[in-house]
Amino acid sequence: MIGIQPIDQYARDISDEKQASVIDGSSKGTEKRYHSLHQDYPDPDAIRKLAASIKDHTLHHLGEYLAKAEESLTARGVNVHYASTDEDARQTILAILRQHGVTQLTKSKSMAAEEIHLNPFLIENGVECLESDLGEFIIQLDGDEPSHIVKPIIHKNRRDIAKTFVREGVAADYNDDPETITRRARVFLREKYMQAQAGITGANFVCADTGRLALITNEGNSRFGMAPVQVHIALVGIEKVIPQEKDLAVFLNLLGRSATGQQLTVYTEFINGPRSANQPDGPEHMHVVFMDNGRTDVLASNCREILRCIRCGACQNVCPVYRQASGHAYRSTYGGPVGAVLSPILFGSRFPELADLPKASSLCGACNEVCPVDIPIPDLLLRLRDKAKKESVPSAGAIPMSPFATLATSPSLWRTAMTMSKAMNHLPIQVAPIKPLQDWLGQRTLPDSKGGDFRKWMKTHQADAARAGKAP
Amino acid sequence: MSRAAIFAKIESATAMVKAKAAYPEYDLSIVHSQPRLQGADLWEIFTRNFSAVNGRAMTSVAELLDFLKQSSQLHGYCDPLLYDDIGAQLAAAGLVVETEYHRDRYDDYQFGITRASGAIAESGTVIIDDDRTSHRLAALSPWVHIAVLSRGEIHRSIPDAIAAFGESPNIIWCTGPSKTADVEGILIEGVHGPGEQIALVI
Ligand code: SF4
């Protein structure tokens, strides 16, 4: 077929087994996530908007808050480093490890570390570096890439994992019972935690007022990774800063619910310094590496709202394109709607190569509706399509996607289409007389369109707010 | 070098933002979950929410002893400061209770009794910090972790617990036992940390 986009190629080539795992894993728990917000709060949208405005405020004053976070951390005996690029970050971390004589460490799941491909680099440089999150551990054993922000092995089933364990010597015999798999990993990783000299983590939030890093896991791996070791290194994207500890209440309540339908993730750690003098366990040295790696380019772009992202994975779970194509189809650390916006700008030099991602969306708006920080992902995708057009980035797939592109570049046409899409739920659109649309639909099952309910909601909300005399 | 470069880039990027967002003044009651906060007594609210995340709330050492015996967790660690109140009773009933944690024998400890610094009623969370915990590892490596707290240490809501952070460089909230759903979305408890999280009030 002429002009097929890389992401469509992935969707076409994905094995049935892998696709079944991804569809099952992303749709599972959707209701639970929805209810955990709606049962607990009369107006979850008010909290999403609040979170968005706290993030926007911080991003618009990032210099101030980052400097403040640095000052707070330094005052508590934490060494603060900065890394402009992925290479800077890798070298900085390696230098810290060498300084402390570290040859073995465990690492708890961090998207920032994924982004700079830290593991293979450290291993090449003679440092044994083991992922401790169960999913990431399996990814590492397989030499694979995570395909979901929260559920890295969403694309694998228990049989794949049981085979890996035998092949890699984690287990002596094949057993695909999930509980047995988990127990085997427990035993294997404990020994590694105890042998390690350092723990590497990311951070979900950094409070500028006290420097406190908030770190969440369900498994307790980051907590374990840091209990027996002397050195803690946290690799943190500069956009993770929030103004004050008080704001944590807003973000933590949203993050657990949006990611997994939990009010709080099991382990929420708050760290702003080496262990207390009276505590026998825990790091004596703490380093925080603040990393840019393209974030300031995103901040300078007209898609800066994507930096609000708290990496909950909700947009991936609801996205019909993600479900069909899998996270790997996005060919970068961040898959799904968030990745379709973030990756082409964050990894700016790869823009032409990733320019198909913003087009791989039906703009159904589901991602925006579930996003806990209210990122207008469909709008951002349009801005990126526009950028590609302006920069005349040649990309496959321009023809098949063109009906969408036409709709998408005209707000009034788009509104009409969104309203009509509700009617389309009842029409056999597979037989609509648009050839490229048929090709495209041939590979996908569309979810029922909600017909732009969120847009409507937003409008009423703005009108109400205007009546009440406040800015929306 | 990196520092100056990053701050310069941030400066030029944020200078381009015409309408800078103000910090939103807000009331933290917006994140209070009323259904979860229902009830008058904080221990009762805590117990309800803690059970919902598969934690076990206990009010006596006898109850703890029963549980440990039934689940055959007969060898463990107890914070020396809690030995007289708790550890001694378990030892008297025949359990092996050590008051020193030896890292090289981490597998020997089936339970660990340590002091919590508080709890959160709204979320069913046990709070552990560096200042009150005798050994981070003793609260982590055993299959059963018993966090000991007093009723007066329960915070009503998540924002209240944040406001009470204090100076400890390391605070951990434990909302139920360690768990994963990485393998086909199936919930398994006891991944790296405890498979049983107990809150014992004294
Ligand atoms: S864009 Fe929003 S929904 Fe998607 S991962 Fe980020 S915070 Fe979650």
Side-chain angles (χ1 to χ4, degrees):
Chain A
M1 172 176 172
I2 310 160
I4 187 163
Q5 306 182 106
I7 187 166
D8 287 327
Q9 193 66 52
Y10 267 84
R12 189 163 284 191
D13 295 345
I14 190 172
S15 73
D16 287 350
E17 202 179 15
K18 178 167 165 179
Q19 191 177 60
S21 298
V22 175
I23 292 176
D24 186 50
S26 52
S27 39
K28 222 180 221 169
T30 298
E31 256 169 48
K32 189 174 152 214
R33 285 189 293 274
Y34 180 84
H35 285 300
S36 69
L37 264 176
H38 288 259
Q39 278 169 351
D40 285 351
Y41 297 117
D43 185 7
D45 273 317
I47 307 176
R48 294 190 325 136
K49 306 258 173 237
L50 173 61
S53 62
I54 298 172
K55 277 281 185 180
D56 275 353
H57 166 75
T58 322
L59 291 167
H60 297 170
H61 302 84
L62 188 58
E64 258 166 69
Y65 284 115
L66 188 60
K68 194 145 168 234
E70 175 190 347
E71 191 189 314
S72 308
L73 285 164
T74 311
R76 283 165 177 80
V78 180
N79 302 289
V80 176
H81 312 256
Y82 286 90
S84 285
T85 63
D86 51 352
E87 179 60 14
D88 285 349
R90 289 187 295 261
Q91 293 298 345
T92 304
I93 291 171
L94 184 62
I96 299 168
L97 295 172
R98 296 236 158 107
Q99 175 200 333
H100 293 289
V102 174
T103 54
Q104 195 177 351
L105 60 84
T106 65
K107 184 173 145 293
S108 77
K109 182 170 169 337
S110 149
M111 295 309 289
E114 282 299 331
E115 193 183 305
I116 65 166
H117 306 288
L118 185 61
N119 282 345
F121 169 79
L122 291 181
I123 291 166
E124 261 169 46
N125 283 278
V127 181
E128 185 187 322
C129 173
L130 200 70
E131 289 287 347
S132 57
D133 171 85
L134 179 60
E136 293 283 345
F137 170 60
I138 292 161
I139 292 281
Q140 190 182 16
L141 291 175
D142 281 344
D144 197 355
E145 301 270 344
S147 73
H148 188 283
I149 296 180
V150 176
K151 299 171 263 193
I153 50 168
I154 193 168
H155 59 288
K156 291 183 194 290
N157 60 38
R158 63 180 83 186
R159 295 175 297 284
D160 299 333
I161 302 164
K163 277 183 232 154
T164 299
F165 273 24
V166 176
R167 191 191 65 227
E168 298 299 320
V170 176
D173 58 335
Y174 178 96
N175 187 323
D176 63 13
D177 165 46
E179 180 151 7
T180 308
I181 288 173
T182 310
R183 296 287 168 266
R184 286 174 163 183
R186 178 183 171 99
V187 172
F188 184 88
L189 281 160
R190 280 188 163 214
E191 217 181 299
K192 299 289 182 184
Y193 288 133
M194 293 297 190
Q195 291 164 355
Q197 300 118 4
I200 295 186
T201 69
N204 295 86
F205 307 98
V206 181
C207 308
D209 59 345
T210 58
R212 235 182 267 275
L213 268 57
L215 238 161
I216 63 166
T217 73
N218 265 322
E219 300 180 5
N221 52 313
S222 84
R223 190 180 173 215
F224 214 138
M226 278 186 289
V229 301
Q230 290 307 310
V231 184
H232 172 203
I233 304 172
L235 174 65
V236 186
I238 53 173
E239 84 285 18
K240 296 286 169 202
V241 179
I242 58 173
Q244 37 181 339
E245 288 182 344
K246 169 191 165 187
D247 303 320
L248 282 172
V250 176
F251 291 108
L252 292 175
N253 270 300
L254 285 170
L255 181 52
R257 288 180 172 91
S258 306
T260 48
Q262 293 165 274
Q263 183 186 15
L264 282 180
T265 309
V266 175
Y267 296 107
T268 312
E269 299 173 67
F270 307 97
I271 307 169
N272 64 349
R275 67 173 159 81
S276 315
N278 64 330
Q279 176 55 242
D281 304 328
E284 258 170 70
H285 309 281
M286 178 171 173
H287 297 264
V288 171
V289 181
F290 282 118
M291 179 173 76
D292 178 355
N293 198 29
R295 283 158 177 78
T296 49
D297 296 334
V298 183
L299 191 62
S301 77
N302 62 355
C303 292
R304 66 175 67 85
E305 291 97 323
I306 199 69
L307 291 176
R308 293 179 197 159
C309 175
I310 56 174
R311 311 279 189 262
C312 73
C315 58
Q316 303 182 317
N317 292 325
V318 298
C319 177
V321 177
Y322 173 89
R323 284 184 181 179
Q324 295 295 321
S326 95
H328 289 157
Y330 295 79
R331 312 178 317 276
S332 67
T333 310
Y334 305 99
V338 54
V341 177
L342 191 57
S343 299
I345 347 177
L346 193 63
F347 313 117
S349 59
R350 291 179 62 198
F351 184 73
E353 174 202 335
L354 298 173
D356 63 312
L357 300 183
K359 290 194 274 176
S361 164
S362 61
L363 300 175
C364 70
C367 47
N368 173 241
E369 281 177 44
V370 296
C371 177
V373 283
D374 195 28
I375 300 175
I377 295 177
D379 292 349
L380 302 186
L381 292 170
L382 294 183
R383 288 178 212 166
L384 284 176
R385 290 181 190 181
D386 203 44
K387 172 175 151 81
K389 211 168 165 186
K390 282 206 184 106
E391 295 174 12
S392 321
V393 174
S395 158
I399 300 161
M401 293 304 286
S402 61
F404 281 96
T406 316
L407 280 181
T409 41
S410 155
S412 61
L413 271 179
W414 180 249
R415 271 191 300 275
T416 317
M418 284 296 269
T419 320
M420 276 181 53
S421 66
K422 243 182 181 157
M424 279 167 86
N425 287 338
H426 307 287
L427 292 176
I429 46 173
Q430 267 78 355
V431 299
I434 311 170
K435 168 76 171 81
L437 186 59
Q438 285 169 12
D439 288 344
W440 192 79
L441 284 164
Q443 300 161 50
R444 293 177 171 84
T445 320
L446 288 177
D448 278 1
S449 169
K450 300 210 177 98
D453 281 343
F454 181 73
R455 271 169 190 266
K456 240 191 282 164
W457 177 87
M458 187 63 194
K459 252 203 152 141
T460 350
H461 177 75
Q462 280 171 335
D464 287 351
R467 264 198 300 282
K470 354 170 234 192
Chain B
M1 321 101 351
S2 277
R3 187 186 187 282
I6 292 173
F7 276 89
K9 286 183 89 178
I10 293 174
E11 188 51 47
S12 82
T14 48
M16 284 158 38
V17 183
K18 277 172 242 118
K20 288 207 169 83
Y23 180 77
E25 289 309 327
Y26 63 98
D27 191 319
L28 279 165
S29 61
I30 190 175
V31 292
H32 288 165
S33 161
Q34 291 311 331
R36 289 178 194 259
L37 280 165
Q38 235 150 59
D41 176 54
L42 289 182
W43 171 252
E44 175 205 310
I45 302 171
F46 168 78
T47 309
R48 185 184 66 232
N49 291 318
F50 190 54
S51 309
V53 292
N54 290 351
R56 291 175 199 269
M58 298 184 180
T59 51
S60 72
V61 180
E63 206 180 330
L64 173 64
L65 179 62
D66 272 353
F67 174 79
L68 292 174
K69 276 183 165 167
Q70 262 171 32
S71 48
S72 307
Q73 309 289 338
L74 306 174
H75 183 157
Y77 164 88
C78 179
D79 177 341
L81 293 176
L82 297 168
Y83 189 80
D84 289 348
D85 286 337
I86 303 166
Q89 290 186 54
L90 303 180
L95 274 59
V96 181
V97 185
E98 297 187 44
T99 51
E100 262 180 60
Y101 181 91
H102 295 278
R103 210 179 264 209
D104 46 334
R105 294 194 283 108
Y106 64 88
D107 257 348
D108 287 355
Y109 308 97
Q110 297 165 326
F111 62 86
I113 304 171
T114 67
R115 192 73 173 82
S117 54
I120 309 172
E122 182 187 15
S123 51
T125 299
V126 168
I127 306 173
I128 297 177
D129 75 20
D130 251 16
D131 298 337
R132 304 294 290 279
T133 310
S134 53
H135 260 290
R136 284 190 198 178
L137 274 166
L140 190 54
S141 75
W143 181 254
V144 185
H145 175 231
I146 299 109
V148 181
L149 65 133
S150 71
R151 282 175 201 257
E153 293 164 340
I154 305 173
H155 302 285
R156 188 174 163 72
S157 68
I158 292 174
D160 289 352
I162 291 172
F165 268 167
E167 287 299 309
S168 178
N170 191 286
I171 301 165
I172 295 167
W173 292 357
C174 309
T175 308
S178 154
K179 69 177 184 188
T180 185
D182 273 349
V183 182
E184 294 185 11
I186 296 160
L187 177 77
I188 309 284
E189 290 180 333
V191 191
H192 304 284
E196 291 283 356
Q197 179 68 59
I198 293 173
L200 173 65
V201 74
I202 49 163

